[in-house]
Amino acid sequence: PAPATDTTKGSSSDGTHRPAKRLKPADPPVEGNHSKVFKFDPSKYTWQGVPLEDYKPPSDDSWKSVSRTELIGRRGETPRFHVRYFEVAPGGYSTLEMHVHEHVVIPIRGTGEAMLKTRVWPIKYGDLIYVAPRDPHQFSCPADAKEPLGFLCMVNAERDRPVPLNPDFLLSGSACER
């Protein structure tokens, strides 16, 4: 006969470990500081229950064709970081800006460019971009791209406000000073 099992401890009578019974979980509420899973829809690059937002106010002409999705950090979670997903449509670009806080960017869709200080880097899926404090930066997607540039961005939960920059700032040499 098969050995008896103890379902409360997740092991059998012969001492071998086996996984505890798993129940199909109910979808957790989006709001609140509790463990949760947001299911990703790869056909739309969206996460179930997480709304798409404007990148910045529409009246701001320092950016073009960018959307933002706040994944973690805005619905009751208390991490020391926030995780966001940005998408830049072909021909679009984020604001040229700088700030004291640092952030990390990981492209997960398309190709584009990351301007860090005065250098422009081609970026693609899986690249890792670190934006140092006070470094001017901007992300863009070529007008002839077949799909948007989409990237995850991790940033400090407590951070300063970005300062928009005029492109002439980069030409002045100030961007190279520390």
Side-chain angles (χ1 to χ4, degrees):
T5 58
D6 179 353
T7 58
T8 61
K9 295 182 182 177
S11 60
S12 65
S13 61
D14 65 1
T16 59
H17 178 74
R18 64 174 187 80
K21 287 185 179 178
R22 293 190 177 25
L23 302 175
K24 182 176 187 236
D27 289 337
V30 171
E31 300 291 330
N33 192 20
H34 52 85
S35 298
K36 48 189 137 182
V37 173
F38 296 109
K39 299 305 272 181
F40 178 65
D41 180 346
S43 69
K44 298 178 187 172
Y45 280 81
T46 58
W47 286 261
Q48 181 182 359
V50 183
L52 182 68
E53 303 173 25
D54 286 333
Y55 169 61
K56 291 186 178 178
S59 61
D60 185 348
D61 64 356
S62 68
W63 61 277
K64 179 181 172 188
S65 302
V66 181
S67 63
R68 179 183 70 203
T69 304
E70 297 280 347
L71 297 170
I72 299 294
R74 277 204 129 167
R75 285 171 296 285
E77 306 94 353
T78 58
R80 294 183 184 198
F81 59 90
H82 288 180
V83 178
R84 296 104 42 98
Y85 173 73
F86 291 91
E87 201 164 90
V88 184
Y93 50 87
S94 65
T95 303
L96 173 61
E97 64 187 21
M98 70 177 190
H99 38 69
V100 176
H101 65 273
E102 58 199 334
H103 53 109
V104 174
V105 170
I106 303 171
I108 63 169
R109 181 180 193 188
T111 60
E113 295 179 336
M115 184 175 63
L116 305 172
K117 292 176 78 171
T118 58
R119 185 164 179 184
V120 177
W121 300 83
I123 59 173
K124 62 180 178 5
Y125 177 89
D127 288 344
L128 181 63
I129 298 103
Y130 170 73
V131 180
R134 296 183 187 83
D135 276 357
H137 58 281
Q138 183 177 45
F139 296 91
S140 61
C141 182
D144 62 350
K146 291 182 174 43
E147 66 179 331
L149 167 66
F151 55 87
L152 295 170
C153 178
M154 283 64 69
V155 67
N156 296 342
E158 293 185 25
R159 58 190 180 272
D160 60 310
R161 303 281 307 164
V163 176
L165 300 173
N166 183 310
D168 294 338
F169 174 82
L170 298 176
L171 300 174
S172 71
S174 300
C176 298
E177 298 172 9
R178 283 272 182 183

